[in-house]
C-alpha cells in the first residue's frame, strides 16, 4: 500500500512538472514568433501574439530574461504605433518589475547586456521605471526677490 501511495504522488509530481515545462516552452516559442514578427514588420501579428503572451504570463513561471525580452517587444510595439496609446509601455513596465522580482541579478544582466539594437528601448524603459519608482521632488517655490 505504501508503494502505491509513493508511486501515485510521484506520478502527480511528474505530471505537474511536465505541464509547467510545456507552458514555459509554449511561451518561449510564442515570444520568439512575436520577435520575428516585429523584425518582419508584421506589427498586428506581433501585437496579437504579445496579447496572448500577456494572458499566459501569470500561468507560466518565467525567467527574468523572458520577461525582459517581453518588455523590449512591448517597447518596440509602442514605437511602431503612431497613436498615443501607452498600454504597451505600461505592460513593459510591469514586465520590467516582474523580471526584477523573478531574479534581480539576471534582470540587471539582461538590461545591461542586451543587443545593440535594443539598447535604446532598454535605456528608455529603465528611465521610465526609475521615474515611476523614485520620482524627483518638485522644487519648492522660491519667494519673490522683490518685496511688494
Amino acid at each position: 500500500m505504501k508503494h502505491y501511495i509513493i508511486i501515485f504522488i510521484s506520478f502527480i509530481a511528474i505530471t505537474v512538472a511536465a505541464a509547467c515545462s510545456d507552458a514555459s516552452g509554449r511561451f518561449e516559442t510564442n515570444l520568439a514568433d512575436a520577435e520575428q514578427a516585429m523584425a518582419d514588420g508584421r506589427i498586428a501579428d506581433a501585437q496579437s501574439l504579445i496579447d496572448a503572451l500577456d494572458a499566459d504570463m501569470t500561468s507560466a513561471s518565467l525567467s527574468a530574461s523572458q520577461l525582459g525580452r517581453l518588455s523590449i517587444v512591448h517597447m518596440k510595439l509602442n514605437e511602431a504605433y503612431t497613436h498615443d496609446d501607452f498600454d504597451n509601455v505600461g505592460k513593459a513596465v510591469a514586465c520590467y518589475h516582474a523580471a526584477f522580482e523573478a531574479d534581480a541579478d539576471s534582470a540587471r544582466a539582461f538590461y545591461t547586456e542586451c543587443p545593440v539594437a535594443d539598447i535604446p528601448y532598454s535605456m528608455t524603459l529603465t528611465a521610465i521605471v526609475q521615474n515611476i519608482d523614485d520620482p524627483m521632488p518638485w522644487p519648492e517655490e522660491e519667494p519673490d526677490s522683490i518685496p511688494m
Side-chain angles (χ1 to χ4, degrees):
M1 183 69 173
K2 190 180 206 182
H3 296 297
Y4 292 120
I5 294 173
I6 292 173
I7 291 172
F8 180 71
I9 291 174
S10 299
F11 176 74
I12 290 174
I14 290 171
T15 304
V16 169
C20 290
S21 67
D22 182 45
S24 181
R26 186 176 59 248
F27 188 92
E28 184 66 33
T29 302
N30 289 344
L31 181 57
D33 290 344
E35 289 171 331
Q36 186 60 45
M38 279 300 302
D40 294 343
R42 297 178 291 129
I43 297 168
D45 293 341
Q47 184 68 57
S48 64
L49 284 166
I50 290 298
D51 289 341
L53 289 174
D54 288 337
D56 285 346
M57 198 166 88
T58 57
S59 64
S61 60
L62 304 175
S63 68
S65 64
Q66 287 175 322
L67 290 163
R69 288 171 52 206
L70 184 58
S71 69
I72 296 296
V73 174
H74 274 298
M75 291 299 288
K76 288 179 180 180
L77 282 169
N78 181 65
E79 182 185 46
Y81 285 119
T82 56
H83 53 80
D84 291 332
D85 181 16
F86 297 107
D87 287 343
N88 281 312
V89 174
K91 291 175 182 177
V93 168
C95 290
Y96 187 95
H97 283 129
F100 274 89
E101 287 175 11
D103 186 355
D105 292 334
S106 295
R108 189 172 297 109
F110 173 82
Y111 287 109
T112 57
E113 299 170 4
C114 63
V116 174
D118 293 342
I119 289 175
Y121 304 106
S122 174
M123 290 178 65
T124 302
L125 180 58
T126 301
I128 290 169
V129 170
Q130 286 175 349
N131 285 326
I132 290 172
D133 292 347
D134 189 24
M136 293 180 58
W138 287 96
E140 293 183 24
E141 288 189 35
E142 296 181 18
D144 291 334
S145 59
I146 303 173
M148 297 205 176

